[in-house]
Amino acid sequence: SSASLFPILGTLQSLETFLSQFVRMGCVSSKSAPDAKGEIVQLKFEEVEVRTGKSAFVPAPEALAALKAGNARYVGGQAPAATRKSRILALANDGQLPMAAVLGCADSRCPAELIFNVAPGDIFVCRNAGNTVVQGGSVVASMEYCMAHLQTKLLVVLGHTKCGALN
């Protein structure tokens, strides 16, 4: 390929690849790509409250509304926001308090965090082939831990079409 490569954050990427990723992140330039050479773009990030183990639990209707809104963003093609270091540190220091527990299939085509457009710490996910549950198994114990210890009030069982484990 005759595409030019540019050093971006220590890696070499084509300008087209970088611009595509840039736009998917919700960033825009005031200039078209050929005219943007050398332009400095300042990104603005909204300060979002991080729900940690020190926060109040999220009521089930509020959690369900948040998951539906996230899914609408996903279906609309909006990429999840980058995870800020402050979120990672807050979760590491203060623990997790997920708004929902999700039992999903291990199928690589249906990652719950992306489908619901959520950040680390927002949902507690257990995945196995066919999103099945056996009484007394590790999935039940994990969900019980989430619901009791982490005070999660919403449990979502997430299925999908063309599941090979259930055919």
Side-chain angles (χ1 to χ4, degrees), residues 23 70 85 111 129-130 140 154-155:
V23 169
K85 187 175 181 179
V140 172
L154 178 66
L155 172 61

Side-chain angles (χ1 to χ4, degrees), residues 7-84:
I8 300 169
L9 298 177
T11 64
L12 289 177
Q13 295 184 18
S14 73
L15 183 58
E16 287 179 12
T17 300
F18 174 72
L19 291 174
S20 172
Q21 292 170 348
F22 189 70
V23 169
R24 280 199 314 266
M25 291 187 308
C27 306
V28 293
S29 171
S30 59
K31 301 177 183 175
S32 65
D35 299 329
K37 189 173 183 178
E39 180 179 8
I40 297 174
V41 178
Q42 183 177 3
L43 303 179
K44 291 185 177 181
F45 293 96
E46 292 181 30
E47 284 297 323
V48 178
E49 182 182 343
V50 179
R51 187 180 47 266
T52 69
K54 293 182 177 180
S55 305
F57 72 86
V58 178
E62 190 178 316
L64 184 58
L67 292 181
K68 286 181 177 181
N71 183 250
R73 289 190 303 274
Y74 171 77
V75 170
Q78 184 178 341
T83 302
R84 299 187 69 185

Side-chain angles (χ1 to χ4, degrees), residues 131-144:
N131 53 294
T132 56
V133 176
V134 177
Q135 186 174 4
S138 64
V139 171
V140 172
S142 294
M143 291 294 135
E144 286 176 344

Side-chain angles (χ1 to χ4, degrees), residues 59-140:
E62 190 178 316
L64 184 58
L67 292 181
K68 286 181 177 181
N71 183 250
R73 289 190 303 274
Y74 171 77
V75 170
Q78 184 178 341
T83 302
R84 299 187 69 185
K85 187 175 181 179
S86 59
R87 171 180 280 276
I88 295 167
L89 292 174
L91 291 167
N93 293 330
D94 299 331
Q96 63 178 319
L97 190 71
M99 67 177 154
V102 179
L103 170 60
C105 186
D107 190 304
S108 63
R109 299 170 291 178
C110 51
E113 294 86 352
L114 295 180
I115 289 171
F116 293 120
N117 201 312
V118 295
D122 285 340
I123 60 176
F124 185 95
V125 181
C126 286
R127 295 174 69 179
N128 65 20
N131 53 294
T132 56
V133 176
V134 177
Q135 186 174 4
S138 64
V139 171
V140 172

